[in-house]
Amino acid sequence: MSNDVKKNNVAEQIEQVSAEEINKIMSKYDRENAYRTLPRMINLVISAILIAFSLLQLYSTWRIIPSTHMRPLHVAIVVFLAFTFYPVKKGGFRTPRGQKISFGVDMVLAVIALAVFLYQVIFFEDLARQSRLNTWQYVIGAVGVVLLMEACRRVVGLPIVCVAIAFLLVGFFGQSMPGFLANRGFSWKRIVDHLFYTQEGIFGTPIGASSTFIFLFILFGSFLEKTGVGEFFIDFGNAVAGKQRGGPAKVAVLVSALEGTVSGSSVANTVGSGSFTIPMMKRLGYRPEFAAATEAAASTGGQIMPPVMGAAAFLMLDCIGGGITYSDIIRAALIPALLYFVGIWFAVDFEARKHGLVGMKDEDIPRFKTLMIERGYLVLPLVSIIIILGAGFTPAYAALMGIGVACLGSYLPALAHLLVYLTRGKKSGYRSLREAAGRNFTGLKPMDYLKALEGGARSIISVALACGVAGIIAGMITLTGVGAKLSAGLTAFANGNIFLLLFCTMLTSIILGMGVPTTANYLITSTMMAGVVAKALNPGVDALTWQMLLPAHLFTFYFGIIADITPPVALAAMAGAAIAKSDPLKTGVQASKNAIAAFIVPYIFALNPAMLMINASIPEIALICATSLVGMYFIGMAVVGHWLEHMNPFQRIIAAAGGLCMIVPGTLTDLVGLAVCAVVVFWQLADRKKAAA
């Protein structure tokens, strides 16, 4: 069958979920996409501002702007854009006659916010010379704090703002607070001074990361999207896994893992690839809940997949410090991330085996060799980033090089066709060039560059606002000392029981993650919990090294992420359910089952950092990988309840126990797990023999 016919078949499958439905789902479950439609002229002006913002960020990496100027400037532009794009509520307020009044008010707030935050940039030297601030300067700072939280509420959501307000109240009414919340209390001027006029609050580490490498990697993702890498990932997944048992579900796992290397939004990943994979899974015979849950679980896992990890990897670099490098973080996160996706892969395989589901038809699957020859160059930017980071260069430099490779690499097909034109003659060469132009192989066009710059600036809004409010929370924690008291209280509550302490940390991270973006969630939980977890894991050690801190930070990070598939909120599962038209609660429960590795693996690497390749030899790492894969196989078997034949509850319990023993690093646990898993294998073989008889 010709390539054109194959494309038509694929297009028919995608059309089951219309663009209008996708936009509605994104607006409902991803607040970042619920922005207003601006009038044409205003939209042109705002687009120009967005492009200029991206160019400013690129300029700051070439000619470094001091953090005392760049961070307030970054926040000023972001808050201005937030009030411009996002109404106080969906649709804005209306007069009794039905006229919208929100936009005019929002533009006034946008200008005020811009002026307030630019005050720090313009009058920095005057502020540095002042020994004491004036009352009106405190008012400016207070207005800045309030406007930042309101902008964050509109774009990110109310939960993170409520957490920030709670900590502000703890600081202001400290003397009246009970228990570990008690502190000496601070005046509103002292709080504003700490949060607005130092780099301990709003303009602290989170905004520092947002205004440098986080922005660059988001911009890299925007450029990569313009090259068509998303469509390539889907075709690559189809070519690799489409023919296998339960093909579309495995395609969803593979595509989501690939998209997760450059994207950090669970909902966006679910809707983006799910609009293609979920209808195909349903057509093949998967239950709607299972199809939606598989896509949601796989898309959520994209945030733990190196090298980007939803931008939290860069924050982790700053928060841990102590000589840790970016390569250390992505190397440590690799095995747990692979186990996560392998666990989902096994779950969909057992589900397909259980219901006798087959793979996709040959005519719907692109040829792998042809695909890699024609579009394999699209992975060059990702490969270049990994190589550059592995060589020890900074994340900012790697992101810049990735953008350059993405731009230049887009012209490789045109160059190849030009070589054909020069070497094979004009007739065949002209046909080849014409085909290249018709298939959009002519590289990025000028408008693509502008759209990529605009898209990168638009995407940073939610991340920067979350980082700014997380800075407020972190600033109040350090000012009041509540973090240390909370840690001491939890340690006393656990009474030396490390499992109980880890369980409390897990619950805290999941609850916060239900309404707080990944970056902010990580910052809050790591500030309050990572230190105490690290000390509990390393008793008697006063000076904690990064090797001791990293497992604790990754532990809080992982559980904050899986809140996107954990009921009752489970935004990624809800988005998948909307596409599959399935029950949201059942979808969330199924997604949690499919992602069972995310609930197990963090406990294991927290107790044994060898899984993170910390202080482990190559043979040890190889053994851990092998036994963990076997363990995930049996855990997936237990979750689905089917292997060769249907498994009774006792068989499932034995399989789960054996799988857990295999995942926990250690010779004794591996031997015990192997013996227990062997029992399940022989039991299932006996059941198969009985069924055949």
Side-chain angles (χ1 to χ4, degrees):
M1 181 175 287
S2 67
N3 287 333
D4 292 337
V5 176
K6 291 179 184 178
K7 286 186 176 182
N8 289 336
N9 288 339
V10 173
E12 289 174 3
Q13 294 163 352
I14 295 176
E15 285 174 359
Q16 288 193 2
V17 183
S18 67
E20 185 179 353
E21 285 183 283
I22 291 174
N23 290 333
K24 286 183 178 179
I25 294 169
M26 288 293 291
S27 297
K28 183 176 181 180
Y29 296 107
D30 190 354
R31 295 182 66 95
E32 185 180 344
N33 285 274
Y35 48 81
R36 58 160 60 98
T37 302
L38 299 173
R40 184 174 179 274
M41 291 304 298
I42 296 178
N43 190 57
L44 288 175
V45 173
I46 298 301
S47 295
I49 294 174
L50 289 167
I51 294 169
F53 185 26
S54 289
L55 293 175
L56 171 67
Q57 292 284 165
L58 289 172
Y59 172 79
S60 69
T61 62
W62 169 63
R63 194 176 183 87
I64 298 175
I65 301 174
S67 61
T68 52
H69 291 69
M70 191 61 212
R71 294 181 184 184
L73 182 59
H74 183 77
V75 177
I77 298 173
V78 164
V79 177
F80 172 83
L81 293 171
F83 280 112
T84 304
F85 279 121
Y86 298 89
V88 67
K89 68 172 187 175
K90 288 185 179 180
F93 285 125
R94 294 176 180 270
T95 64
R97 295 183 179 180
Q99 298 173 328
K100 290 186 178 180
I101 62 172
S102 175
F103 183 69
V105 175
D106 287 346
M107 286 307 299
V108 172
L109 293 176
V111 173
I112 294 174
L114 184 66
V116 164
F117 285 101
L118 285 181
Y119 176 79
Q120 280 241 43
V121 180
I122 298 171
F123 298 100
F124 172 76
E125 293 183 1
D126 294 338
L127 289 169
R129 285 195 297 265
Q130 283 184 243
S131 59
R132 189 173 182 179
L133 296 174
N134 298 316
T135 301
W136 60 271
Q137 290 173 317
Y138 287 116
V139 172
I140 288 176
V143 171
V145 172
V146 172
L147 289 178
L148 173 64
M149 290 197 295
E150 168 58 15
C152 187
R153 182 197 67 79
R154 296 185 183 195
V155 182
V156 180
L158 189 59
I160 186 174
V161 177
C162 290
V163 174
I165 292 173
F167 277 100
L168 286 171
L169 294 175
V170 167
F172 190 71
F173 298 103
Q175 294 178 341
S176 304
M177 289 291 166
F180 68 88
L181 295 176
N183 59 86
R184 63 189 182 89
F186 300 89
S187 67
W188 71 274
K189 290 183 178 181
R190 178 70 180 88
I191 292 173
V192 169
D193 180 39
H194 184 74
L195 297 181
F196 194 81
Y197 291 103
T198 71
Q199 291 196 343
E200 299 294 326
I202 293 174
F203 310 114
T205 298
I207 283 296
S210 174
S211 61
T212 51
F213 33 75
I214 290 181
F215 189 101
L216 290 176
F217 268 92
I218 288 177
L219 191 60
F220 164 70
S222 183
F223 272 96
L224 203 59
E225 180 186 352
K226 293 301 177 184
T227 65
V229 73
E231 294 82 359
F232 170 75
F233 283 158
I234 292 176
D235 289 340
F236 180 84
N238 284 326
V240 172
K243 284 187 179 181
Q244 297 188 24
R245 180 172 49 225
K250 293 178 179 177
V251 170
V253 177
L254 188 57
V255 170
S256 296
L258 291 171
E259 287 184 344
T261 58
V262 294
S263 174
S265 172
S266 303
V267 175
N269 286 354
T270 301
V271 176
S273 56
S275 60
F276 175 86
T277 58
I278 291 175
M280 291 189 67
M281 281 189 270
K282 289 175 63 179
R283 180 184 292 106
L284 188 66
Y286 281 103
R287 293 175 290 115
E289 287 82 10
F290 191 91
T294 298
E295 180 58 54
S299 295
T300 299
Q303 294 187 82
I304 64 175
M305 174 60 71
V308 178
M309 297 169 63
F314 311 119
L315 295 173
M316 213 173 287
L317 189 67
D318 280 352
C319 291
I320 296 176
I324 191 172
T325 65
Y326 185 77
S327 298
D328 294 326
I329 294 175
I330 60 175
R331 184 174 62 249
L334 183 60
I335 293 178
L338 291 177
L339 287 179
Y340 179 91
F341 283 102
V342 164
I344 302 174
W345 183 283
F346 287 151
V348 300
D349 183 72
F350 290 129
E351 183 77 9
R353 186 195 294 262
K354 181 179 180 179
H355 296 286
L357 306 180
V358 296
M360 298 164 59
K361 298 178 181 178
D362 288 342
E363 58 265 26
D364 294 334
I365 301 175
R367 294 184 179 276
F368 181 80
K369 183 178 179 180
T370 304
L371 176 68
M372 295 308 295
I373 291 174
E374 290 184 348
R375 288 187 283 166
Y377 68 93
L378 291 173
V379 301
L380 289 177
L382 286 173
V383 174
S384 66
I385 277 187
I386 294 172
I387 292 174
I388 292 170
L389 288 172
F393 289 94
T394 64
Y397 180 80
L400 285 174
M401 290 299 100
I403 293 172
V405 173
C407 295
L408 295 176
S410 68
Y411 300 105
L412 286 178
L415 179 61
H417 286 283
L418 179 60
L419 292 175
V420 172
Y421 176 82
L422 296 173
T423 57
R424 294 188 181 180
K426 294 184 178 181
K427 187 175 180 180
S428 62
Y430 172 73
R431 186 185 303 114
S432 184
L433 284 170
R434 186 174 57 188
E435 289 175 357
R439 300 177 68 176
N440 196 27
F441 283 175
T442 53
L444 294 177
K445 302 176 180 64
M447 188 55 68
D448 292 328
Y449 285 96
L450 296 178
K451 290 292 184 183
L453 291 170
E454 181 181 348
R458 190 187 289 261
S459 298
I460 195 64
I461 295 175
S462 62
V463 177
L465 291 174
C467 287
V469 175
I472 293 176
I473 296 169
M476 293 307 300
I477 289 174
T478 56
L479 182 65
T480 59
V482 167
K485 294 179 180 178
L486 176 61
S487 299
L490 285 173
T491 304
F493 173 75
N495 195 25
N497 189 327
I498 186 62
F499 286 101
L500 182 58
L501 181 62
L502 291 174
F503 184 74
C504 291
T505 304
M506 178 190 76
L507 291 181
T508 303
S509 300
I510 291 177
I511 292 171
L512 278 173
M514 289 180 179
V516 178
T518 303
T519 49
N521 182 353
Y522 164 69
L523 288 167
I524 297 168
T525 52
S526 63
T527 301
M528 294 191 299
M529 305 295 299
V532 66
V533 171
K535 288 181 180 179
L537 293 172
N538 302 277
V541 179
D542 295 328
L544 296 175
T545 63
W546 69 260
Q547 291 90 342
M548 299 173 182
L549 289 169
L550 183 57
H553 280 258
L554 283 174
F555 185 89
T556 60
F557 173 59
Y558 270 53
F559 283 112
I561 284 173
I562 61 173
D564 281 342
I565 55 172
T566 306
V569 179
L571 291 179
M574 297 284 185
I579 297 174
K581 297 177 173 57
S582 60
D583 181 88
L585 182 59
K586 291 181 180 178
T587 301
V589 172
Q590 184 64 57
S592 299
K593 291 168 63 178
N594 286 1
I596 188 66
F599 294 90
I600 298 172
V601 171
Y603 282 92
I604 295 171
F605 68 61
L607 297 170
N608 192 334
M611 182 175 282
L612 302 179
M613 292 189 266
I614 295 176
N615 300 326
S617 63
I618 293 178
E620 287 176 320
I621 294 171
L623 181 62
I624 289 171
C625 290
T627 56
S628 297
L629 287 175
V630 175
M632 284 311 308
Y633 188 83
F634 280 88
I635 288 176
M637 187 190 303
V639 169
V640 177
H642 187 91
W643 186 43
L644 300 177
E645 297 292 334
H646 175 74
M647 299 175 69
N648 61 46
F650 194 48
Q651 286 178 335
R652 295 174 73 171
I653 293 172
I654 295 176
L660 282 172
C661 289
M662 293 293 289
I663 294 176
V664 175
T667 304
L668 179 60
T669 55
D670 289 344
L671 292 175
V672 172
L674 200 60
V676 173
C677 291
V679 173
V680 178
V681 171
F682 287 116
W683 197 340
Q684 278 282 291
L685 288 172
D687 288 346
R688 167 61 64 89
K689 189 176 290 187
K690 288 181 182 178

